[in-house]
Amino acid sequence: MADSTSPFTDHTPKLWRRLDELNDEQRNITERAKKLFPQLTKSMLIDRRTALRLMAASAALAAASGCADNSSKASEQRMGGKSKGPVEDRYTLLNQNGTAFGVVVRTVGGNPVKIEGDPDHPASLGRSNVQAQAALLSHYDPDRIDLPRLGGKETDWKKCREFLASFSEKGIGEGLHILLQPTASPTLERMIREVKQRLPATRFYQYRPIPLNNIIPPIDYQSNNLVISFGCDFLGAGPGQVRHAADYAEFRRNDRQESKLIVVESVPTLTGAQADEHVILEPRQLEQFIQALNEGDITNIAPQYRDLANAIINEPRLLLKGNGISANAGEIAKSLGAVELQSPQLFDDSQCADISALHKALEQDEADHLMILGGNPVYDAPARLNFAQTLSRSRVASTYLGSEWNETAGLCSNYISETPELAQWGDLRSFDSSVGLRRPVTSGTGMTAIEILSHLAGIPESGEMLVRKTYDAPDLPVEQLAQKIRSSTNAANNMNPPPSGKVQKPLGIMPDNRFALVFAPSPHIWDGSLANNSWTQELPAPLTGLAWGNAASIAASTAEKLGLKDGDEIEISLDGASIKIPVIQLPGQAENTLGLPLGYGRKMAAIGSVIGHGVYALFNGNFVEQGALVTKTGAHHDLIFADRFMAADDDKAVRWVTSETEQLRRKEEAPSFFDPEYRAEKQWGMVIDLDICIGCNACTIACQAENNIPVVGPEETAAGRAMHWIRVDRYHRGPAENPDTAFQPVPCMHCELAPCEPVCPVGATTHSSEGINEMTYNRCIGTRSCSNNCPYKVRRFNWFDYQAPDRNVGMSTEGQNPRVTVRDRGVMEKCTFCVQRIEAVRLGDDKGGEDGMPVTACQQTCPTQAIIFGDLADAQSPVAKARAEPRNYSLLEDLNLKTRTTYLAKQTREV
Amino acid sequence: MAKATSMDTHLTTPEALPLEENAFGLRWWLAVIISAALVIALFAALFYTALTGIGVWGNNIPFVWGFDLANYGWWIGMANGSALFACLLILWRAPMRLAISRWAEALALAAAICAALFPVFHLGKAWLSYWMVPYPAHTGLWPQPMSPLTWDFWSIFAYLLTIASLWYIGLIPDLAMLRDRARACLKQRIYGLFALGWTGSSRQWALQQHCHRLLALSVIPFLIVMQSIVALELAVTLVPDWHDTGLPVRFVVSGFASGLALAYFFAGLMQSILPEMIDVDDDILDQIGVFTLGAVYLSMFVVGLTALLEWLAPPDSSNSLTEWTSGSGAVLTWSSLFLSKVVPQLLWFRKIRRNRYAAIGISAAIASGIWLDHLSTIILGLAHGHMETAGNLYAPSIIELIILIGTLALCLLIMLIFARLLPLIAIYAANEKQIYNQGERLP
């Protein structure tokens, strides 16, 4: 495969995927064996999980349900004449970190089965992110508590309402303290005012670990060809991700040579992976760097970045600042005089004090009753407040409104269950400040923050009426109401100027043994609120590949200095607090810096409990901290990777081209007995543009939701049995200190000469006349030889009955896609090109995309629309055009499998 | 001929025939109890797997095969080696066939039965294994002829039939003798049924001998086909390390070595457990030892040739020789070579060859070395795909270990029961020899 005479050899350096591949020559056999055979080094004792499994199996045996084939259960239950109800698409808004994300929810008989982006919503544009997809699974959370609990006892909603109304009946709210999770909702702001009017002595506080108000608004690239990000991960997870990624892709697609993205950061992010120039500096060096830019004096800058610094100083540019740099650095960067995007004020926090004020009030025993409306402050409040201790020590009565039984609920005397997100009425501002209507797409019991506030204000009303009153539209039909809200200008009135950066310790000189800490929300479970969502837990993090847990990322050189290997535990202490967490080496990370993903180590989060390591104990609202002490504890954790694949044989798996003129596409077909004549009118194919793939993983989780893909849990994931049909492989090129990074989504390639097909003895995997490599689940007997013969390793096997009720940690039956067969134990499965969507379009059950062609789940979700799917037989179709591009190539082209899925190479600027 | 005489006296006394209680001592019972317990564990493990899922094994993606296919290939090899040995003895009319060929045939059958468990129970849906059979299903679907797994079904099916026929045809005259000597009516009837109305006429003898030798001849090409097809299951795939035309040859010759080692092992073992029932003397041990050593050398030649070709070949990215000899799984390769190629060199010494304990030890080393070879072929092949080198390598679960040990016990149990119910050596042939010897002794 490495023939140097091939015309397709590009001068790209060798690809690598893990740091240890780089220094391969020091091949210590035993060490390598230990690394590769981790299980062999352990004793083969039966662990707890196996013991339980054995018991479950004996129970199954006793029940003697036999070997019934349940491979048709989803379809039987809800399709084929016995449909439980009509299929309907309903619009609403999801709450993502307090801002709106517009979605269309497909419901079958009233049950949501899939969430897609709302094409008309500015934050989603019809595409979506991991969190929007995961909201579907959260809706079916089996641990949800339906009834309120007062004084620890379950009660009914009537008693609960009476309890809330009692506040408005006595006094003016003395001693009533309310902690809100800030949400960009005009109705919420109105209700706060209403409560204040009725109970003027009530005190409001607000807290959200990832602040709502410092989100970057949509970026206008029109007049900016040079974009500089100082620690702003605008392509990373968050409510703005989809829109930013879409705009960015448009920006890059049009003009790769003219446009330029420079990212300056300490811990690599998805944005950094896209950068043309990636500047990696420790936080204090970063401060000096900005200072030097500010003063126009580049002599203090490291030599390799000097040219870049000159360019930044001299060219017109757009400046983005984010959480990845210290507040000080942010302050200095202000005076750089560039065009700087201001964050919009999405929530009017003038009426609410900070959570530290609440802490003071609790300490001084000023509060009689504390009401916590949403959030999980016991878990995520700033460490210095020690909120859990303060709350449990004070004699205050407390009420918690939340969607799950979590750490905060456990410490509060009363619990009110929040209406499921997809059943809520409300309104939300999007991150571009436009407002929209949240309306229920399904039924659900519970209360919302605005309803509770209305009871406190003595004007108890339903959520719907509260929203209608905000917009003065008591009886408008819902569609018109949505219109009216959308066109309302209730966007940015009564807003405070943005708070100036919090005062931080000046950086000064840091002793060499001190570390900088860079916190960031987890790309999947965010601030921890999605910890009880097995889809997000099992999804491998884009840059580390970690699933079911987190680790402190560290530069390879720093790890070496400390004698740390992946999974070795360290203790990090800062200002008297300390945490223990394993490390993972990350290419492209600054030295003496630790990247700490928030959100893990929840104690009460059902399946998310005790998964990963909590870092909130060091978090005080500053995303960059300095001066931490790090010591090795000697303990080791087995990190869980969803796929622990190492080196690729194919040095050309991901290709970079310098200009469009370079022809990667093969001009001549290799000689073959294969008859290329198409046997049907439509010939499906897919092209994935690696140039604009940002590695966000939304395709993986969208596929999981669409195709009823089970969740296997941490043990099974560690055993190499994760079921994702489309995985996102990560490749690096260049030095470990600052490599190029590429992401490559790998679904089934649907080879025309599919090697999996001839090896199946029972013909369970065959080719359709339209070019789809199909799996016939009820024909499969599980020889697994197809997977052996698949060079891309995209086939997944049901090692257990992952969908059995006692094992299923994924989707419940109501939420499963009725169009997709649920696979049972012992069968192989894989990407089908969403054949159910193709058939639905053919039958007229579905509209398909804009051109009436079927749209796969991954394609629909992709924020940058890097995935193109369609009919290859139609030369005018987008997919056929993309395939004809010079950048088009096949993975493992030399095997001559004639793949239907191909890739467009990454582009780099001419040097 | 002194030894022959001692054997003759055993055989001609009716007390020594099978089914005579006093012939089976405590050691036989102990062996039966232990192996039966392990066989129960084997079937418990197999049904547990079938009811719970292949997940109870250590397999994953990309290690979809592991112990299952390694054990399968290994058992087929053992069956092959024993069958080859038995057939050659029959065809050559070698004198030592008296003592060996019957139980070598039985051993081949037992090993083939052990092997046949794996293609069924390694399936995700073992209860649907009959879909490999070309029966007129209502779906109108037939097995896929291009799949090596379909070839495998046919070959193991035909192989089992042939080996069983070989063994059975050779057994008919002895069944008739047992029928004639049986005192109980039921025994008479059962033996009578299986003796197929044997009267001992000259015509029957001629036909039986003809048929037996013909079957023995037809088994030989089968051996090569059977093991090749096991190898083809790997060799026809795109997995770089497996995609090798030399693989079937390597499997066939290593199978012969392990099969002869199995025969050698049983010769030693039977001599220890059932010295009264079987007359394997030191001369026979010596001869099997020589055969085994020969097979080991054949296998060494092929392995060496494979390595040489691999080494001379233009370097490619798969680089399997380096991977196998110094990569992550080199431990498996080197221990396999040591056990199956170095340890047997002891067989150069006559004294060691003639020692039953040495026979047991050395043959166990050869067989386990060949087993490691099968395992490393599966695992190291899968570890190194086109797209990736897998990080989390396969490790067997306790269930898989039980299954492996269980099949060993099953093979032993079949042999022990066989010894109890049917003559371990061809009585008629022994008688023939006795008559011949008596004639020879006449002045």
Side-chain angles (χ1 to χ4, degrees), chain A residues 813-824:
Chain A
T813 319
E814 296 82 38
Q816 280 170 343
N817 186 350
R819 285 186 174 143
V820 177
T821 308
V822 172
R823 285 77 60 187
D824 62 345

Side-chain angles (χ1 to χ4, degrees), chain A residues 36 39 54 61 644-647 649 719-721 757-761 781-784 788-789 791 799-800 825, chain B residues 48 50-52 55 57 59-60 64-65 68 122 124-125 144 147 237-238 328 382 386-389 391-393 396:
Chain A
L36 287 169
Q39 288 152 304
L54 288 165
L61 193 57
R644 298 182 65 173
F645 294 140
M646 293 171 70
D649 256 4
R721 294 170 178 173
E757 290 170 12
V759 295
C760 177
I781 60 174
T783 68
R784 313 188 285 288
N788 265 343
N789 217 19
W799 301 100
F800 290 108
R825 165 166 68 87
Chain B
Y48 172 59
L51 287 168
T52 319
W57 296 358
N59 300 83
N60 53 42
V64 293
W65 292 345
D68 47 356
H122 100 121
K125 293 181 169 183
Q144 224 265 69
S147 167
T237 65
L238 291 175
S328 51
L382 288 175
H386 280 283
M387 282 283 292
E388 79 296 306
T389 301
N392 53 345
L393 258 142

